[in-house]
Amino acid sequence: MQHYGHHGKESGVVAYDIDAGQIIVQFSNGERYLYTEDSAGAANIARMQELARAGRGLSSFISRNVHDRYVRKINSRKLT
């Protein structure tokens, strides 16, 4: 997973992994969620990938737009 570079500000997101049509997001509590184009919509996934790469705004976007539209929760563990 890639560390989420939130430019010195606190963020609920700490890491992400991007693949075609999907993104896995790891939150500060260690929980990871898989979002796909089918679950969250293609435009939302594209925006999430853009925000993840930019290192800002991803947590807010998820909260406002796709909160529970994930496919599944992935085994929880904190990033070290």
Side-chain angles (χ1 to χ4, degrees):
M1 294 194 81
Q2 299 290 317
H3 285 277
Y4 180 69
H6 42 79
H7 305 290
K9 295 185 178 181
E10 293 246 350
S11 175
V13 174
V14 296
Y16 66 92
D17 191 24
I18 292 174
D19 202 357
Q22 67 181 36
I23 184 170
I24 297 171
V25 179
Q26 182 170 341
F27 293 92
S28 57
N29 63 3
E31 294 181 343
R32 296 187 299 163
Y33 293 87
L34 169 63
Y35 295 89
T36 67
E37 289 180 347
D38 288 338
S39 70
N44 285 328
I45 294 300
R47 183 66 177 146
M48 290 169 71
Q49 291 176 343
E50 179 181 306
L51 293 169
R53 288 185 181 110
R56 60 187 310 171
L58 182 56
S59 183
S60 295
F61 183 86
I62 290 170
S63 294
R64 293 182 189 134
N65 298 286
V66 297
H67 183 323
D68 59 353
R69 294 171 59 189
Y70 55 88
V71 172
R72 66 185 166 96
K73 184 176 174 180
I74 300 171
N75 62 336
S76 298
R77 68 176 190 250
K78 289 218 177 213
L79 198 87
T80 54

